[in-house]
Amino acid sequence: MLFYLFVAAPFLIRIKYLFEVLQEAVERWKNVFFVFFFSVWQLIQIIFVYLQRSKSYSMNEILAKYLPMNAVMPCFELIREKNIYLKIVSERKTRHGDYRRLSSGQHLITMNATTNKYRFLITFVHEVAHLVAFETYGKRIKPHGAEWKYTFRQLMIPFIVPEVFPKQLLGVLQRHFRNPTASSDVDSALAIALKQYDAVSDLSFIYEIPIGSTFRTKDGRIFRKGQRRIKCYDCIELSTGRKYIFQPHAEVELIKS
């Protein structure tokens, strides 16, 4: 027995030595792998932060084209917080913007591209108010009911300040948001006030053109302007002879004789 132990001893010593070397190598490589993976993780985090910041900068640059400067960051925070996909499209005649919830759960707000930054801001908050009102009060509320009006008013309050809107608009906005309408176009005072910040066009308000003059609407029909009745104007469609009532702030193209 002692003979076998004597013979096996060198092998056992070598095995022990190899085991110790292997253990030391494992410890050494473990540290190397730890440092490597830690470095990779840090790199991934740096890339992620960079991409997030790049996305933020990109979104802010886009918003700065359409919003007053001091409204850019608050609107960006609304977009981020509410998971909004903002889509800006060519100007549509029937609406300034709209909101709908996608099947993915994301919220889509589609906005008309416009040079009027104040109109864009009001419309954007208008659509966000739909989102917030539906989340707060449920989907059965009226689109422009009391819940939406309250939400719209609360969201707009931080923006109705001289740092965002010019003084010429502040008074009109304060009156408008006592009872906001379904569209800024419905409020003649607000529509007229916002018009001065639109790009120059050949369109005029009904109240600006002379009585008896002919004009063309956006859908191509031709009318003759009649007398004013309280707030609106009676106008005759030339092709049918039918009488129509126009709001004073309706935009039309004056046909010069």
Side-chain angles (χ1 to χ4, degrees), residues 69-97:
M69 185 55 63
N70 289 326
V72 171
M73 282 308 299
C75 289
F76 174 76
E77 288 302 318
L78 281 173
I79 291 171
R80 186 182 60 81
E81 177 188 345
K82 298 299 181 182
N83 190 27
I84 295 171
Y85 172 52
L86 181 64
K87 184 178 180 181
I88 301 174
V89 299
S90 300
E91 191 165 358
R92 297 164 294 178
K93 294 180 180 179
T94 56
R95 64 189 67 184
H96 297 301

mmCIF file of all heavy atoms in Angstrom, residues 69-97:
data_model
loop_
_atom_site.group_PDB
_atom_site.id
_atom_site.type_symbol
_atom_site.label_atom_id
_atom_site.label_comp_id
_atom_site.label_asym_id
_atom_site.label_seq_id
_atom_site.Cartn_x
_atom_site.Cartn_y
_atom_site.Cartn_z
ATOM 1 N N MET A 69 -41.319 79.140 -29.048
ATOM 2 C CA MET A 69 -40.133 78.571 -28.420
ATOM 3 C C MET A 69 -40.383 78.085 -26.993
ATOM 4 O O MET A 69 -39.955 76.996 -26.608
ATOM 5 C CB MET A 69 -38.998 79.608 -28.426
ATOM 6 C CG MET A 69 -37.677 79.059 -27.905
ATOM 7 S SD MET A 69 -37.121 77.571 -28.790
ATOM 8 C CE MET A 69 -36.884 78.256 -30.437
ATOM 9 N N ASN A 70 -41.087 78.878 -26.206
ATOM 10 C CA ASN A 70 -41.300 78.516 -24.805
ATOM 11 C C ASN A 70 -42.363 77.434 -24.615
ATOM 12 O O ASN A 70 -42.635 77.029 -23.476
ATOM 13 C CB ASN A 70 -41.676 79.757 -23.987
ATOM 14 C CG ASN A 70 -40.493 80.691 -23.818
ATOM 15 O OD1 ASN A 70 -39.348 80.255 -23.716
ATOM 16 N ND2 ASN A 70 -40.753 81.987 -23.799
ATOM 17 N N ALA A 71 -42.952 76.982 -25.705
ATOM 18 C CA ALA A 71 -43.938 75.899 -25.615
ATOM 19 C C ALA A 71 -43.354 74.565 -26.068
ATOM 20 O O ALA A 71 -44.003 73.526 -25.920
ATOM 21 C CB ALA A 71 -45.164 76.235 -26.465
ATOM 22 N N VAL A 72 -42.136 74.578 -26.586
ATOM 23 C CA VAL A 72 -41.552 73.359 -27.155
ATOM 24 C C VAL A 72 -41.358 72.280 -26.089
ATOM 25 O O VAL A 72 -41.823 71.145 -26.238
ATOM 26 C CB VAL A 72 -40.213 73.666 -27.859
ATOM 27 C CG1 VAL A 72 -39.497 72.371 -28.246
ATOM 28 C CG2 VAL A 72 -40.451 74.512 -29.102
ATOM 29 N N MET A 73 -40.670 72.600 -25.008
ATOM 30 C CA MET A 73 -40.379 71.593 -23.984
ATOM 31 C C MET A 73 -41.638 71.076 -23.286
ATOM 32 O O MET A 73 -41.777 69.858 -23.098
ATOM 33 C CB MET A 73 -39.383 72.147 -22.966
ATOM 34 C CG MET A 73 -37.947 72.153 -23.459
ATOM 35 S SD MET A 73 -37.386 70.541 -24.089
ATOM 36 C CE MET A 73 -37.562 69.512 -22.629
ATOM 37 N N PRO A 74 -42.580 71.948 -22.894
ATOM 38 C CA PRO A 74 -43.816 71.413 -22.289
ATOM 39 C C PRO A 74 -44.571 70.471 -23.225
ATOM 40 O O PRO A 74 -45.107 69.449 -22.782
ATOM 41 C CB PRO A 74 -44.635 72.673 -21.987
ATOM 42 C CG PRO A 74 -43.626 73.758 -21.843
ATOM 43 C CD PRO A 74 -42.543 73.423 -22.817
ATOM 44 N N CYS A 75 -44.600 70.797 -24.510
ATOM 45 C CA CYS A 75 -45.290 69.926 -25.468
ATOM 46 C C CYS A 75 -44.527 68.622 -25.668
ATOM 47 O O CYS A 75 -45.129 67.550 -25.802
ATOM 48 C CB CYS A 75 -45.470 70.645 -26.804
ATOM 49 S SG CYS A 75 -46.696 71.976 -26.753
ATOM 50 N N PHE A 76 -43.203 68.705 -25.671
ATOM 51 C CA PHE A 76 -42.401 67.487 -25.787
ATOM 52 C C PHE A 76 -42.653 66.563 -24.594
ATOM 53 O O PHE A 76 -42.749 65.339 -24.749
ATOM 54 C CB PHE A 76 -40.916 67.831 -25.876
ATOM 55 C CG PHE A 76 -40.021 66.618 -25.853
ATOM 56 C CD1 PHE A 76 -39.894 65.813 -26.971
ATOM 57 C CD2 PHE A 76 -39.328 66.268 -24.703
ATOM 58 C CE1 PHE A 76 -39.093 64.683 -26.951
ATOM 59 C CE2 PHE A 76 -38.525 65.145 -24.668
ATOM 60 C CZ PHE A 76 -38.401 64.353 -25.791
ATOM 61 N N GLU A 77 -42.763 67.139 -23.409
ATOM 62 C CA GLU A 77 -43.035 66.340 -22.215
ATOM 63 C C GLU A 77 -44.407 65.670 -22.299
ATOM 64 O O GLU A 77 -44.581 64.528 -21.866
ATOM 65 C CB GLU A 77 -42.950 67.214 -20.960
ATOM 66 C CG GLU A 77 -41.529 67.627 -20.595
ATOM 67 C CD GLU A 77 -40.619 66.428 -20.364
ATOM 68 O OE1 GLU A 77 -41.062 65.449 -19.724
ATOM 69 O OE2 GLU A 77 -39.469 66.454 -20.847
ATOM 70 N N LEU A 78 -45.385 66.378 -22.861
ATOM 71 C CA LEU A 78 -46.708 65.769 -23.056
ATOM 72 C C LEU A 78 -46.620 64.587 -24.020
ATOM 73 O O LEU A 78 -47.232 63.537 -23.795
ATOM 74 C CB LEU A 78 -47.690 66.810 -23.598
ATOM 75 C CG LEU A 78 -48.284 67.804 -22.600
ATOM 76 C CD1 LEU A 78 -49.104 68.866 -23.328
ATOM 77 C CD2 LEU A 78 -49.157 67.085 -21.578
ATOM 78 N N ILE A 79 -45.861 64.765 -25.087
ATOM 79 C CA ILE A 79 -45.690 63.694 -26.076
ATOM 80 C C ILE A 79 -45.028 62.476 -25.439
ATOM 81 O O ILE A 79 -45.460 61.335 -25.640
ATOM 82 C CB ILE A 79 -44.852 64.200 -27.272
ATOM 83 C CG1 ILE A 79 -45.646 65.237 -28.068
ATOM 84 C CG2 ILE A 79 -44.430 63.047 -28.175
ATOM 85 C CD1 ILE A 79 -44.837 65.946 -29.130
ATOM 86 N N ARG A 80 -43.991 62.715 -24.653
ATOM 87 C CA ARG A 80 -43.263 61.612 -24.012
ATOM 88 C C ARG A 80 -44.110 60.940 -22.931
ATOM 89 O O ARG A 80 -44.202 59.713 -22.873
ATOM 90 C CB ARG A 80 -41.965 62.149 -23.397
ATOM 91 C CG ARG A 80 -41.051 61.079 -22.818
ATOM 92 C CD ARG A 80 -39.828 61.708 -22.180
ATOM 93 N NE ARG A 80 -40.212 62.605 -21.103
ATOM 94 C CZ ARG A 80 -40.513 62.183 -19.871
ATOM 95 N NH1 ARG A 80 -40.485 60.894 -19.577
ATOM 96 N NH2 ARG A 80 -40.842 63.055 -18.937
ATOM 97 N N GLU A 81 -44.740 61.754 -22.111
ATOM 98 C CA GLU A 81 -45.512 61.219 -20.988
ATOM 99 C C GLU A 81 -46.724 60.417 -21.450
ATOM 100 O O GLU A 81 -47.043 59.363 -20.889
ATOM 101 C CB GLU A 81 -45.972 62.374 -20.096
ATOM 102 C CG GLU A 81 -46.838 61.953 -18.923
ATOM 103 C CD GLU A 81 -47.423 63.136 -18.177
ATOM 104 O OE1 GLU A 81 -46.947 64.271 -18.389
ATOM 105 O OE2 GLU A 81 -48.363 62.928 -17.392
ATOM 106 N N LYS A 82 -47.391 60.899 -22.495
ATOM 107 C CA LYS A 82 -48.629 60.259 -22.950
ATOM 108 C C LYS A 82 -48.410 59.259 -24.087
ATOM 109 O O LYS A 82 -49.377 58.734 -24.632
ATOM 110 C CB LYS A 82 -49.629 61.331 -23.405
ATOM 111 C CG LYS A 82 -50.054 62.293 -22.301
ATOM 112 C CD LYS A 82 -50.751 61.556 -21.171
ATOM 113 C CE LYS A 82 -51.198 62.496 -20.074
ATOM 114 N NZ LYS A 82 -51.846 61.771 -18.949
ATOM 115 N N ASN A 83 -47.140 59.011 -24.430
ATOM 116 C CA ASN A 83 -46.832 58.040 -25.484
ATOM 117 C C ASN A 83 -47.554 58.406 -26.785
ATOM 118 O O ASN A 83 -48.273 57.602 -27.379
ATOM 119 C CB ASN A 83 -47.223 56.624 -25.048
ATOM 120 C CG ASN A 83 -46.703 55.560 -26.006
ATOM 121 O OD1 ASN A 83 -45.686 55.749 -26.680
ATOM 122 N ND2 ASN A 83 -47.403 54.436 -26.087
ATOM 123 N N ILE A 84 -47.339 59.642 -27.213
ATOM 124 C CA ILE A 84 -48.021 60.180 -28.393
ATOM 125 C C ILE A 84 -47.136 60.034 -29.625
ATOM 126 O O ILE A 84 -45.942 60.337 -29.591
ATOM 127 C CB ILE A 84 -48.375 61.666 -28.192
ATOM 128 C CG1 ILE A 84 -49.406 61.824 -27.068
ATOM 129 C CG2 ILE A 84 -48.903 62.289 -29.480
ATOM 130 C CD1 ILE A 84 -49.647 63.262 -26.659
ATOM 131 N N TYR A 85 -47.738 59.558 -30.691
ATOM 132 C CA TYR A 85 -47.073 59.577 -31.996
ATOM 133 C C TYR A 85 -47.620 60.788 -32.741
ATOM 134 O O TYR A 85 -48.792 60.826 -33.108
ATOM 135 C CB TYR A 85 -47.355 58.292 -32.771
ATOM 136 C CG TYR A 85 -46.864 58.320 -34.204
ATOM 137 C CD1 TYR A 85 -45.551 58.664 -34.504
ATOM 138 C CD2 TYR A 85 -47.715 58.012 -35.260
ATOM 139 C CE1 TYR A 85 -45.099 58.694 -35.811
ATOM 140 C CE2 TYR A 85 -47.271 58.037 -36.569
ATOM 141 C CZ TYR A 85 -45.964 58.378 -36.836
ATOM 142 O OH TYR A 85 -45.524 58.421 -38.130
ATOM 143 N N LEU A 86 -46.779 61.782 -32.931
ATOM 144 C CA LEU A 86 -47.200 63.024 -33.578
ATOM 145 C C LEU A 86 -46.896 62.950 -35.066
ATOM 146 O O LEU A 86 -45.751 62.753 -35.468
ATOM 147 C CB LEU A 86 -46.474 64.220 -32.952
ATOM 148 C CG LEU A 86 -46.827 65.595 -33.522
ATOM 149 C CD1 LEU A 86 -48.291 65.927 -33.264
ATOM 150 C CD2 LEU A 86 -45.927 66.671 -32.926
ATOM 151 N N LYS A 87 -47.932 63.109 -35.861
ATOM 152 C CA LYS A 87 -47.800 63.049 -37.316
ATOM 153 C C LYS A 87 -48.194 64.401 -37.895
ATOM 154 O O LYS A 87 -49.307 64.881 -37.668
ATOM 155 C CB LYS A 87 -48.701 61.943 -37.873
ATOM 156 C CG LYS A 87 -48.582 61.731 -39.376
ATOM 157 C CD LYS A 87 -49.487 60.585 -39.814
ATOM 158 C CE LYS A 87 -49.398 60.335 -41.305
ATOM 159 N NZ LYS A 87 -50.307 59.233 -41.726
ATOM 160 N N ILE A 88 -47.288 65.016 -38.619
ATOM 161 C CA ILE A 88 -47.546 66.328 -39.219
ATOM 162 C C ILE A 88 -47.705 66.145 -40.720
ATOM 163 O O ILE A 88 -46.822 65.592 -41.386
ATOM 164 C CB ILE A 88 -46.400 67.310 -38.898
ATOM 165 C CG1 ILE A 88 -46.258 67.459 -37.376
ATOM 166 C CG2 ILE A 88 -46.659 68.667 -39.538
ATOM 167 C CD1 ILE A 88 -45.069 68.289 -36.940
ATOM 168 N N VAL A 89 -48.844 66.589 -41.242
ATOM 169 C CA VAL A 89 -49.185 66.362 -42.652
ATOM 170 C C VAL A 89 -49.455 67.687 -43.347
ATOM 171 O O VAL A 89 -49.548 68.738 -42.710
ATOM 172 C CB VAL A 89 -50.426 65.443 -42.773
ATOM 173 C CG1 VAL A 89 -50.156 64.086 -42.140
ATOM 174 C CG2 VAL A 89 -51.644 66.095 -42.124
ATOM 175 N N SER A 90 -49.590 67.616 -44.664
ATOM 176 C CA SER A 90 -49.948 68.808 -45.437
ATOM 177 C C SER A 90 -51.305 69.324 -44.972
ATOM 178 O O SER A 90 -52.161 68.549 -44.527
ATOM 179 C CB SER A 90 -49.993 68.476 -46.929
ATOM 180 O OG SER A 90 -48.729 68.024 -47.370
ATOM 181 N N GLU A 91 -51.492 70.617 -45.096
ATOM 182 C CA GLU A 91 -52.697 71.245 -44.556
ATOM 183 C C GLU A 91 -53.961 70.679 -45.188
ATOM 184 O O GLU A 91 -54.074 70.556 -46.402
ATOM 185 C CB GLU A 91 -52.642 72.757 -44.769
ATOM 186 C CG GLU A 91 -53.714 73.500 -44.011
ATOM 187 C CD GLU A 91 -53.448 74.987 -43.933
ATOM 188 O OE1 GLU A 91 -52.408 75.429 -44.444
ATOM 189 O OE2 GLU A 91 -54.280 75.691 -43.354
ATOM 190 N N ARG A 92 -54.910 70.321 -44.331
ATOM 191 C CA ARG A 92 -56.213 69.822 -44.772
ATOM 192 C C ARG A 92 -57.257 70.918 -44.596
ATOM 193 O O ARG A 92 -57.189 71.703 -43.652
ATOM 194 C CB ARG A 92 -56.603 68.581 -43.953
ATOM 195 C CG ARG A 92 -55.648 67.413 -44.133
ATOM 196 C CD ARG A 92 -55.831 66.373 -43.041
ATOM 197 N NE ARG A 92 -55.449 66.900 -41.740
ATOM 198 C CZ ARG A 92 -55.545 66.210 -40.605
ATOM 199 N NH1 ARG A 92 -56.019 64.984 -40.615
ATOM 200 N NH2 ARG A 92 -55.170 66.754 -39.468
ATOM 201 N N LYS A 93 -58.233 70.950 -45.478
ATOM 202 C CA LYS A 93 -59.221 72.022 -45.450
ATOM 203 C C LYS A 93 -60.272 71.823 -44.362
ATOM 204 O O LYS A 93 -60.847 72.783 -43.865
ATOM 205 C CB LYS A 93 -59.911 72.132 -46.813
ATOM 206 C CG LYS A 93 -58.978 72.573 -47.944
ATOM 207 C CD LYS A 93 -59.720 72.673 -49.260
ATOM 208 C CE LYS A 93 -58.797 73.120 -50.385
ATOM 209 N NZ LYS A 93 -59.511 73.207 -51.684
ATOM 210 N N THR A 94 -60.536 70.570 -44.018
ATOM 211 C CA THR A 94 -61.665 70.292 -43.124
ATOM 212 C C THR A 94 -61.306 70.318 -41.645
ATOM 213 O O THR A 94 -62.190 70.410 -40.802
ATOM 214 C CB THR A 94 -62.265 68.916 -43.450
ATOM 215 O OG1 THR A 94 -61.221 67.921 -43.362
ATOM 216 C CG2 THR A 94 -62.841 68.908 -44.856
ATOM 217 N N ARG A 95 -60.025 70.226 -41.313
ATOM 218 C CA ARG A 95 -59.645 70.175 -39.897
ATOM 219 C C ARG A 95 -58.202 70.624 -39.716
ATOM 220 O O ARG A 95 -57.389 70.531 -40.638
ATOM 221 C CB ARG A 95 -59.823 68.763 -39.348
ATOM 222 C CG ARG A 95 -58.906 67.728 -40.001
ATOM 223 C CD ARG A 95 -59.255 66.323 -39.587
ATOM 224 N NE ARG A 95 -60.547 65.923 -40.101
ATOM 225 C CZ ARG A 95 -61.128 64.759 -39.825
ATOM 226 N NH1 ARG A 95 -60.536 63.909 -39.009
ATOM 227 N NH2 ARG A 95 -62.294 64.449 -40.349
ATOM 228 N N HIS A 96 -57.922 71.097 -38.510
ATOM 229 C CA HIS A 96 -56.551 71.496 -38.177
ATOM 230 C C HIS A 96 -55.766 70.332 -37.581
ATOM 231 O O HIS A 96 -54.541 70.287 -37.673
ATOM 232 C CB HIS A 96 -56.566 72.657 -37.186
ATOM 233 C CG HIS A 96 -57.202 73.900 -37.720
ATOM 234 N ND1 HIS A 96 -56.747 74.546 -38.850
ATOM 235 C CD2 HIS A 96 -58.268 74.623 -37.284
ATOM 236 C CE1 HIS A 96 -57.497 75.608 -39.085
ATOM 237 N NE2 HIS A 96 -58.424 75.674 -38.160
ATOM 238 N N GLY A 97 -56.477 69.394 -36.945
ATOM 239 C CA GLY A 97 -55.819 68.249 -36.333
ATOM 240 C C GLY A 97 -56.849 67.222 -35.895
ATOM 241 O O GLY A 97 -58.053 67.498 -35.887
#
